[in-house]
Amino acid sequence: MADSNGLLRAAADRSLRYLDEIRDRRVAPGPQPIDGLKALGGPFPEGPTDPAAVLALLDDVGSPATVASAGGRYFGFVIGGSLPVTLAANWLAGAWDQNGGLVVSSPVAAALEEIALRWLVDALALPAGTGGGFVTGATMANFTALAAARHAVLAAAGWDAEAAGLLGAPAITVIVGDEVHISLLRALTLLGLGRDRVTRVPVDTQGRMRAEALPPLRGPAIVCAQAGNVNSGAFDPIGQICEAAHAAGAWVHVDGAFGLWAAAAPERSHLTRGVERADSWALDAHKWLNVPYDSGLAFVRQPEHLRSAMATSAAYIPQTEQREPFQYTPEMSRRARGVEIWAALRALGRAGLADLIERTCRQAARFAAGLRDAGYEILNDVVLNQVLVAFGDDETTRRVIAGVQSDGTCWCGGTVWHGRAAMRISVSSWATTDEDVDRSLAAMLRVARAMRA
Ligand SMILES: *Cc1c(COP(=O)(O)O)cnc(C)c1O
């Protein structure tokens, strides 16, 4: 076997070179590197290959076919980068190779989760005592939190959902806004609550649920609100929703995948007002906190509901007095996600976290101003890190999006907003500088002008 120290050093060197070069390369790979991926395949090798050669092949063929979302000019979907300290922590955690499921399988992972959870509850101004689980992302966070909701509303109606299932259970009323994120609908399907039997509440021009249009609630009910619309960045009026829902004994869940981070930035926290009154929250760490994939959290105000929803035991699994990570998530074995979250929070502190959120919001406003000044139409109120822009009619906008993507200076996706084609700009990365914004803006305007000509 090749010397493993040399192999790991080579991996670090290659990683550093990759990150060094990212500022100068195209954001989306061109057709050649993608075509080159064939070199990774072929038949299953009969014999071994030198690990150093495996690594070299992966880097030489794989790295050029990556999307440069680790750099500063990727504005697609809502995708952050990785703060250097979180990548460093991730490397060390990779060497640790801890199973984060049990205290006994990793005391350090369990301790870091507990600390990170406490710091997040503080940073996001969630109610003291809020518990949670570390999951792959906001999709699983929605699923996990809604499992706790399902448990609680059926338990209140005298039904044990975990033991008896849903066949014959009292019906649960589920309310969503008309701009609900697809991941929440997927979570409902997986939970047996159904995607099409939900009641959809109309939204306003920014995609916010109209609280006054909430239907009257009776019996077991879950209201799913949103902090941060994936297109506009807008927030549902969560305080008002909680007031109406709680008066009827309903559970309020908030999909706050990226928007909930606004609570950590003093100049944006007005957007999340009332969010602390909800019963559960879904959050992504791999988006705006800028930790490596995959990383999200489900928070539950009364953690015993989450514990009951996930409860399981076996004679071979020791139950300690401590918080057992696997009691709060659907998974048992899993990676130690608390490590990078802890590292990010420890390195940033309250001020650094607020600055990360604020800075990216200001950069979104810088995009919006530049595009508006050039005569293009901004379709949303730019309150957060999301910008929706139209470059003319739908056909023109779609051509500009394709042009921006193939130009390679930056990368933005498309969407349809209130019936109109739009380009989405999401500023979510610690690595984005004002110079990146200006360079990207210049590329967008160059492409848009070329389309007009
Ligand atoms: C991104 C997002 C999700 C899904 O998160 P994943 O981490 O991709 O699972 C859910 N809701 C909202 C509002 C999002 O922006």
Side-chain angles (χ1 to χ4, degrees):
M1 273 320 230
D3 152 49
S4 70
N5 280 357
L7 181 68
L8 296 176
R9 286 218 174 83
D13 287 345
R14 286 178 179 273
S15 303
L16 296 180
R17 193 189 324 140
Y18 175 80
L19 292 174
D20 266 351
E21 290 171 357
I22 210 162
R23 294 221 150 254
D24 303 318
R25 57 161 277 192
R26 303 172 40 87
V27 174
Q32 264 147 10
I34 293 173
D35 195 50
L37 291 172
K38 290 190 194 89
L40 300 172
F44 178 45
E46 292 301 328
T49 305
D50 174 16
V54 173
L55 179 71
L57 181 66
L58 189 61
D59 184 28
D60 296 345
V61 175
S63 292
T66 56
V67 170
S69 47
R73 295 190 309 280
Y74 186 83
F75 307 108
F77 308 99
V78 186
I79 287 186
S82 292
L83 288 159
V85 71
T86 69
L87 179 57
N90 175 273
W91 286 353
L92 186 59
W96 288 352
D97 190 29
Q98 297 289 281
N99 184 328
L102 303 172
V103 172
V104 75
S105 65
S106 183
V108 62
L112 289 172
E113 275 198 6
E114 234 175 308
I115 298 163
L117 199 49
R118 186 160 51 75
W119 287 353
L120 284 172
V121 165
D122 177 351
L124 302 173
L126 297 179
T130 293
F134 292 67
V135 293
T136 50
T139 302
M140 279 308 288
N142 280 326
F143 171 84
T144 302
L146 288 170
R150 184 182 67 172
H151 166 84
V153 299
L154 285 182
W159 187 269
D160 183 342
E162 289 68 39
L166 290 186
L167 298 180
I172 301 177
T173 302
V174 179
I175 310 282
V176 301
D178 218 12
E179 278 279 333
V180 60
H181 192 271
I182 53 166
S183 69
L184 196 129
L185 296 176
R186 179 187 276 173
L188 292 173
T189 65
L190 295 176
L191 287 162
L193 295 175
R195 188 177 52 218
D196 292 343
R197 59 178 288 285
V198 299
T199 303
R200 298 179 80 112
V201 176
V203 295
D204 69 10
T205 56
Q206 298 305 309
R208 292 175 291 228
M209 197 194 291
R210 288 176 35 212
E212 79 282 1
L214 271 176
L217 298 169
R218 234 177 321 103
I222 302 170
V223 180
C224 302
Q226 186 163 257
N229 179 291
V230 77
N231 284 313
S232 69
F235 290 70
D236 287 349
I238 296 167
Q240 273 170 274
I241 291 168
C242 287
E243 190 153 313
H246 286 161
W251 178 288
V252 179
H253 169 69
V254 176
D255 178 358
F258 64 99
L260 196 54
W261 290 107
E267 288 170 60
R268 306 281 156 177
S269 57
H270 63 97
L271 294 167
T272 62
R273 200 172 296 134
V275 88
E276 71 287 349
R277 296 170 66 181
D279 301 287
S280 61
W281 305 264
L283 178 74
D284 261 323
H286 55 222
K287 287 180 179 166
W288 225 346
L289 185 61
N290 281 259
V291 304
Y293 284 95
D294 45 30
S295 190
L297 288 106
F299 294 101
V300 179
R301 174 192 289 271
Q302 292 178 276
E304 60 273 20
H305 292 311
L306 178 53
R307 233 194 108 117
S308 299
M310 300 296 153
T312 184
S313 67
Y316 78 100
I317 294 175
Q319 302 277 346
T320 63
E321 293 297 292
Q322 268 174 274
R323 173 184 178 279
E324 285 290 346
F326 87 105
Q327 301 279 26
Y328 298 89
T329 56
E331 303 93 347
M332 294 194 71
S333 298
R334 62 179 170 81
R335 70 184 204 91
R337 294 195 179 86
V339 176
E340 301 106 346
I341 297 177
W342 174 87
L345 296 173
R346 176 86 206 207
L348 291 170
R350 205 182 297 279
L353 178 58
D355 179 63
L356 171 64
I357 304 304
E358 255 325 303
R359 188 174 70 236
T360 37
C361 289
R362 272 200 311 273
Q363 289 169 333
R366 191 178 179 100
F367 268 121
L371 290 161
R372 199 181 276 122
D373 286 351
Y376 300 111
E377 197 181 348
I378 304 300
L379 301 182
N380 66 317
D381 294 344
V382 180
V383 293
L384 204 66
N385 62 336
Q386 305 294 118
V387 181
L388 299 173
V389 56
F391 292 94
D393 61 19
D394 289 359
E395 183 47 32
T396 305
T397 297
R398 278 192 279 269
R399 281 170 52 217
V400 173
I401 295 168
V404 166
Q405 292 177 356
S406 70
D407 169 77
T409 305
C410 64
W411 201 94
C412 298
T415 191
V416 175
W417 181 247
H418 294 187
R420 290 189 62 186
M423 188 173 85
R424 294 177 74 248
I425 304 171
S426 173
V427 190
S428 315
S429 177
W430 72 278
T432 299
T433 61
D434 287 355
E435 195 213 328
D436 284 321
V437 172
D438 294 343
R439 215 173 128 189
S440 302
L441 194 52
M444 290 170 193
L445 299 181
R446 189 172 66 236
V447 169
R449 272 195 295 269
M451 292 297 160
R452 266 190 184 169

